Amino acid sequence: SIEKKDLNNCGKLVLTGDMSELSITKVDLSNMNTLEGNIEVFEGMQLKMLNLEYCENLKGDIESLKDCPLQVLNLAGKEPFQKFTGNIVVFADMPIKELNLQGCWQLTGNIEVFNGMQIKELNLNRCENLIGKDKAKQMFPNADVTV
């Protein structure tokens, strides 16, 4: 089984199909600004790490990630290109330690959902629709927090 597949900077690809049967736990597609598709292809996967930083042509509701045991998630990008939507409540039961949502301006919800998590890195810069961002540094005094 494949544990890690790094397709960083490899050109135009389209994400399609059901990948839930794959045994991939780490996916790094960062900087693939020609990658198209919907993040629903990751639904049901046992991903521990997902890096979609600067994948400006990907879209989708983060609800499709709800069953992934993510420890590291990077959805960062530039506004207005980030097309990820949904409520961050889907992260409530994940063992997230590193979360970068920079530029995910369409995400909604209250960061209270992160209370009790062992977050070491948190970036909520330019996430205008998230409630409680001003309390992030207070919630995680020992973490690297950017708001």
Side-chain angles (χ1 to χ4, degrees):
S1 71
I2 299 171
E3 287 188 27
K4 182 177 180 179
K5 184 67 178 169
D6 186 347
L7 300 173
N8 189 15
N9 291 316
C10 78
K12 184 169 181 158
L13 291 173
V14 178
L15 287 177
T16 60
D18 179 8
M19 295 197 297
S20 64
E21 298 299 315
L22 300 177
S23 299
I24 298 172
T25 60
K26 298 176 183 177
V27 174
D28 185 346
L29 301 173
S30 59
N31 298 308
M32 292 185 62
N33 59 0
T34 59
L35 180 65
E36 298 175 359
N38 193 304
I39 61 172
E40 68 188 10
V41 298
F42 300 113
E43 190 167 359
M45 291 184 71
Q46 293 304 302
L47 292 176
K48 293 181 181 177
M49 189 278 284
L50 179 60
N51 187 349
L52 302 177
E53 184 173 27
Y54 298 116
C55 291
E56 298 168 352
N57 291 307
L58 283 183
K59 62 183 179 182
D61 191 326
I62 59 173
E63 175 76 17
S64 58
L65 303 176
K66 73 177 188 285
D67 295 322
C68 299
L70 288 164
Q71 296 175 13
V72 177
L73 177 62
N74 189 342
L75 300 178
K78 298 176 192 167
E79 294 177 67
F81 301 109
Q82 286 309 80
K83 298 176 181 85
F84 301 122
T85 58
N87 192 306
I88 61 172
V89 73
V90 302
F91 301 138
D93 296 321
M94 291 184 190
I96 293 178
K97 293 183 178 13
E98 298 176 24
L99 181 63
N100 188 344
L101 300 177
Q102 178 177 332
C104 292
W105 60 278
Q106 296 185 74
L107 296 184
T108 59
N110 192 316
I111 72 159
E112 289 293 322
V113 72
F114 303 137
N115 240 348
M117 290 185 177
Q118 302 300 313
I119 291 179
K120 296 176 183 172
E121 292 181 29
L122 179 65
N123 189 334
L124 302 175
N125 189 30
R126 298 188 178 178
C127 296
E128 285 85 8
N129 293 315
L130 294 185
I131 298 167
K133 279 185 6 172
D134 56 322
K135 297 180 176 80
K137 290 184 181 183
Q138 187 179 346
M139 285 173 66
F140 303 103
N142 299 319
D144 181 9
V145 176
T146 306
V147 290

